[in-house]
Amino acid sequence: VDAFLVTHRPNIFYLTGFTGSAGTLLVCLAEAALVVDGRYAIQAREEVRTARVRIMRGDLLAGVAALLRATKRTRIAFEAAHLSVQQRHDLATSTGRSVRWLPVCGWVEKLRAVKDEQELELMQKAAELASGVFEDVLALIRPGVREVELAAEIEYRMRRGGASGPAFETIVASGPRSALPHARPTTKPLTGNELVVFDLGAILRGYCSDLTRTVFLGRPPGRIRRWYSAVRDAQEAARETLRPGVQAGRVDSAARRVLRRHGLLRYFSHSTGHGLGIEVHEEPRLAFRQPARIEAGNVVTLEPGVYVPGFGGIRVEDDVVVHASGARLLTRVTRDLIQL
Ligand SMILES: [Mn+2]
């Protein structure tokens, strides 16, 4: 291709360092141009070293089309997953028949999946921030406090710790609501003798963390202790499988095997983990029969769980980086069942 049009913000950030909310990147063989509007003129020039900054009035894609008309580039790749049908139509209309638009997928995502030392340092800090905040908030967890209050405390403290925001909407799910893997916090107060799932993550200088712990308020009955250790063992089995060259699906099945042995597999309703970085869900996916190979430098979550409808759920999630010899933990909170 003569050029590659990058429209996905996390990809633009990865390639240029630009953190603005609107921008389009045109990568050619010898140079690249970041097209932004006047709001980002100062910021883009400060942040971006790897591309020329072009300030445009009006629609950014129309600006890109004008650039392309002027440069006689004829084969342009675009990010098929990150351009709307309308945008694709408008581009084709404004560049005319001289330009061939080629849909491509995952070009930058594939690069992003392998983190360099500098990225790993940031991700370690993002993981430590989430870990520290969770440990601090433990002191506030007691019967009577509402889910939303704890979620607010977590997000506030992450922000105070330097996060630009939460990596996703913080989950605090208590009692039967903990059986919903993506429960939103409600005004429900915590009560005694119930499970509470906390899932939180911080964005620190562009990089995400993602941490889940399950707490029991009171003395957990034997059944819950057994389920909890099955989930923890499933996570451990996945972690032991994780190394460069292994298929992502094998990491997932290592966790599934443990849960099956405990008769809990039918309560595990999602995949074992996902890549983590500039986005909270990225490559590689640790999902059922996923054939992609794990590489050194991948950062993934390991988060098996069991969700029993009407009763409650248990999930344990950590972030790990893959090294030549295996997986190293980035998050650092006890993985024992926390009793309060
Ligand atoms: Mn996760």
Side-chain angles (χ1 to χ4, degrees), residues 210 274 281 301 303 317:
D210 190 0
H274 52 86
H281 296 111
T301 68
E303 50 175 312
E317 175 182 37

Side-chain angles (χ1 to χ4, degrees), residues 140-337:
L140 308 177
I141 304 171
R142 57 176 185 276
V145 66
R146 296 174 300 156
E147 292 173 352
V148 282
E149 291 174 64
L150 292 173
E153 283 291 343
I154 287 168
E155 294 187 4
Y156 170 71
R157 285 160 192 244
M158 289 195 299
R159 199 73 195 248
R160 295 264 326 230
S164 60
F168 49 89
E169 200 180 325
T170 303
I171 296 172
V172 179
S174 60
R177 294 187 42 75
S178 59
L180 281 62
H182 274 184
R184 287 196 140 151
T186 67
T187 53
K188 174 189 173 302
L190 273 50
T191 64
N193 297 311
E194 66 177 10
L195 288 161
V196 193
V197 171
F198 293 84
D199 191 345
L200 56 137
I203 306 175
L204 194 66
R205 291 171 58 197
Y207 285 82
C208 299
S209 52
D210 190 0
L211 168 76
T212 305
R213 285 296 182 267
T214 303
V215 165
F216 192 84
L217 290 179
R219 257 184 63 82
R223 181 168 63 153
I224 284 177
R225 286 174 198 276
R226 284 193 300 277
W227 289 353
Y228 188 91
S229 34
V231 170
R232 200 182 45 187
D233 290 353
Q235 194 208 37
E236 189 62 35
R239 186 148 67 97
E240 281 166 7
T241 315
L242 198 54
R243 62 179 177 276
V246 71
Q247 285 189 322
R250 290 186 61 93
V251 182
D252 178 71
S253 60
R256 277 176 208 285
R257 204 172 308 127
V258 173
L259 293 175
R260 186 185 306 116
R261 206 166 57 221
H262 288 85
L264 295 171
L265 189 56
R266 68 196 156 115
Y267 298 126
F268 180 32
S269 48
H270 51 77
S271 55
T272 296
H274 52 86
L276 184 69
I278 295 169
E279 286 180 280
V280 73
H281 296 111
E282 54 178 63
E283 299 302 322
R285 320 266 161 176
L286 304 180
F288 189 60
R289 288 189 178 156
Q290 177 62 243
R293 302 272 173 190
I294 298 299
E295 290 178 78
N298 286 161
V299 173
V300 293
T301 68
L302 296 172
E303 50 175 312
V306 297
Y307 309 95
V308 183
F311 178 77
I314 293 166
R315 178 166 70 252
V316 180
E317 175 182 37
D318 285 283
D319 306 339
V320 300
V321 52
V322 181
H323 283 307
S325 50
R328 183 172 62 82
L329 280 162
L330 296 175
T331 36
R332 46 152 193 80
V333 179
T334 178
R335 281 184 304 286
D336 295 336
L337 175 56

